[in-house]
Amino acid sequence: MSWWSSLWERLTAWWRGEPTRSVARIGGDADVDQVVETVRLSGTLTEHGRRRVLRDPKLLPKPKTAGWSMGKRPRILTRDEAYRLFGGTLRTRNREIRDLLPDPDQLQRHGLPHLASEVELAALLDVSLTELRFFSIHRVAERQPHHVVFRIPKRGGGFRTITAPKRRLRTVQRRLLARLVDLLPVSDAAHGFRKGRSVATHAAPHVGRKVVVKLDLEDFFHTVTWQRVRGYLIAMGYGYPVATTIAVLVTEAERQPVDLGDRVVHVPVGPRRCVQGAPTSPALCNAIAHKLDRRLLGAARALGFTYTRYADDLTFSGDDATRVSALLGLVRKIVVGEGFRLNDAKTRVMRAGGRQRVTGVTVNQVLGVSRRERRRVRAMIHQHGGDPAWRDRIAGQLGWVGAVNPEQAGTLRARWKRGGG
């Protein structure tokens, strides 16, 4: 940017009443040729969004005073505010969002609680500000991990890593879930982790279709990093400090213990992200996938397909098999564009001539459990129907079948009663 362009930028901003800041010495993501940038004080945050740009006047560039100032500079931030804002957790190079205030109209539009500061967030969660910050500071050398990490075997082989918050953090996250996260908008196409929804409601729209297409999102929870959570909450209307605090509160990084001799610290070896084990992760990921669901729903309707999602399982069904190739290409483009990835190894195209199964539910003609699953339950009843040690296990299997197809469950229950169950 030449000196004339820089001067013109300043004059234009002065005419509009907008402050400017010098970025000539800022490294990183700044344009090396840019000397001055204008700070937007009005309009919306994104081109097609409704979230307004409302900035904290304390953090805006200050006009330069003429001559030498011998007096003491007025204090703009308290020491505690400055330490928090410019500390490692809230510090950011994104100058477009770091001074944003909450947008009350946007929060009211979505039915979300108005939280203007971390103090109000702490009051919402019934904790002190000190305790809130204890849980919402990202530490590069954590001496007291807030999570317990363990692995459980998967049904199809391998292991699933669970990062479960400890008791006190889990209590705080459950309060946040009930008082804020559960209020976030979610698409009607989402059936996982929602009250009144199940694998049966997810599979029901696909019964009797000529072709069913099943896809899987790879690392669904882990794809949602804390920066995505922060950006989403800002778009919903929250200010930068509150959005960042919540984002850190509901995410965690993979950590590795390091022995320093006199103590052991746990250092992050990856970004903070939503983890399996946190009570907030399912509902939060559902909300962040809202735009993905809307785009996939529109693409499916344009091609004559029906779409539903259960957690990371995407299911499409229709009666025109010739459009499957076009559907797969469009779905991949949308998924990548929304910041997710497909697990190609789990993509299935199931036609009416074979078994069509969606999240463990058969959808060929009627909603039900597969014949092989019913035979397995009958074998359990035949071998262990009168054994008290197996009673709860058989009852659980019958409850699962009954949730999907009560008629199939009735036949199995009658057999169990005849066997003394």
Side-chain angles (χ1 to χ4, degrees), residues 58 75-87 90 118 133:
K58 294 187 296 184
R75 175 170 291 181
I76 299 175
L77 298 174
T78 66
R79 178 176 298 180
D80 181 66
E81 289 175 334
Y83 280 159
R84 179 63 171 165
L85 185 61
F86 300 109
L90 265 67
E118 290 179 285
R133 289 183 174 174

Side-chain angles (χ1 to χ4, degrees), residues 121-128 131 168 172 175 179:
L121 176 60
L124 178 74
L125 301 177
D126 296 330
V127 297
S128 66
E131 186 175 12
R168 184 56 182 162
V172 174
R175 291 173 186 166
R179 301 171 189 180

Side-chain angles (χ1 to χ4, degrees), residues 372-391:
R372 184 170 64 179
E373 288 291 322
R374 297 200 303 273
R375 287 174 178 169
R376 185 178 61 82
V377 175
R378 281 199 298 267
M380 290 173 60
I381 294 172
H382 178 71
Q383 296 174 13
H384 309 285
D387 188 350
W390 280 75
R391 187 179 300 275

Side-chain angles (χ1 to χ4, degrees), residues 49 68 85 99 107 122 130 156 184 186 190-191 225 231 234 250 310 319 332 355 393 405:
W68 291 93
L85 185 61
D99 54 4
L107 292 171
T130 301
L184 297 172
V186 178
H191 290 259
T225 61
I234 289 175
V250 299
Y310 191 94
D319 295 323
R332 178 177 298 277
R355 185 177 65 172
R393 189 169 183 179
N405 189 312

Side-chain angles (χ1 to χ4, degrees), residues 231-269:
Y232 173 79
L233 293 173
I234 289 175
M236 287 294 102
Y238 287 107
Y240 175 77
V242 171
T244 305
T245 300
I246 295 175
V248 176
L249 193 64
V250 299
T251 58
E252 174 60 329
E254 181 182 355
R255 293 180 180 269
Q256 181 174 335
V258 176
D259 190 352
L260 300 180
D262 58 336
R263 66 188 185 278
V264 175
V265 297
H266 300 260
V267 299
V269 293

Side-chain angles (χ1 to χ4, degrees), residues 79-315:
R79 178 176 298 180
D80 181 66
E81 289 175 334
Y83 280 159
R84 179 63 171 165
L85 185 61
F86 300 109
T89 303
L90 265 67
R91 186 171 60 240
T92 178
R93 292 184 296 179
N94 190 338
R95 300 183 297 277
E96 184 68 14
I97 66 172
R98 67 183 178 187
D99 54 4
L100 284 175
L101 292 172
D103 181 357
D105 294 340
Q106 182 78 334
L107 292 171
Q108 184 178 7
R109 194 175 294 122
H110 294 291
L112 299 174
H114 184 276
L115 303 172
S117 65
E118 290 179 285
V119 175
E120 295 184 8
L121 176 60
L124 178 74
L125 301 177
D126 296 330
V127 297
S128 66
L129 181 60
T130 301
E131 186 175 12
L132 175 66
R133 289 183 174 174
F134 175 69
F135 290 126
S136 61
I137 291 179
H138 176 68
R139 300 175 179 86
V140 295
E142 182 67 80
R143 299 183 65 177
Q144 298 180 1
H146 301 312
H147 296 77
V148 177
V149 182
F150 57 93
R151 300 195 305 170
I152 59 175
K154 292 183 179 180
R155 179 183 298 181
F159 292 89
R160 187 185 310 278
T161 301
I162 304 297
T163 306
K166 294 181 180 178
R167 181 182 58 83
R168 184 56 182 162
L169 176 58
R170 183 170 64 250
T171 300
V172 174
Q173 288 182 343
R174 283 175 175 168
R175 291 173 186 166
L176 182 66
L177 174 67
R179 301 171 189 180
L180 193 153
V181 177
D182 272 343
L183 303 178
L184 297 172
V186 178
S187 170
D188 286 338
H191 290 259
F193 317 114
R194 300 183 64 187
K195 293 181 180 178
R197 303 290 183 94
S198 64
V199 292
T201 62
H202 167 67
H206 308 290
V207 173
R209 308 304 293 270
K210 292 184 178 179
V211 60
V212 177
V213 181
K214 186 172 66 173
L215 303 100
D216 181 83
L217 296 176
E218 186 175 6
D219 291 334
F220 179 49
F221 284 1
H222 289 176
T223 307
V224 181
T225 61
W226 78 279
Q227 292 96 333
R228 292 186 69 173
V229 177
R230 180 186 66 185
Y232 173 79
L233 293 173
I234 289 175
M236 287 294 102
Y238 287 107
Y240 175 77
V242 171
T244 305
T245 300
I246 295 175
V248 176
L249 193 64
V250 299
T251 58
E252 174 60 329
E254 181 182 355
R255 293 180 180 269
Q256 181 174 335
V258 176
D259 190 352
L260 300 180
D262 58 336
R263 66 188 185 278
V264 175
V265 297
H266 300 260
V267 299
V269 293
R272 297 188 72 97
R273 52 196 182 181
C274 288
V275 294
Q276 297 191 53
T280 51
S281 291
L284 187 58
C285 291
N286 263 348
I288 291 179
H290 188 193
K291 185 179 177 183
L292 170 71
D293 289 332
R294 287 194 292 110
R295 293 185 65 187
L296 291 178
L297 191 61
R301 287 174 177 172
L303 294 173
F305 285 83
T306 300
Y307 164 71
T308 59
R309 178 177 62 83
Y310 191 94
D312 55 359
D313 291 322
L314 313 179
T315 305

Side-chain angles (χ1 to χ4, degrees), residues 1 3-21 36-42:
M1 180 181 288
W3 70 270
W4 170 250
S5 300
S6 175
L7 177 62
W8 179 255
E9 179 80 14
R10 289 182 180 271
L11 290 174
T12 303
W14 172 82
W15 179 261
R16 293 196 300 259
E18 296 176 331
T20 59
R21 64 163 64 96
V36 175
E37 71 176 10
T38 302
V39 181
R40 291 195 302 129
L41 298 180
S42 60

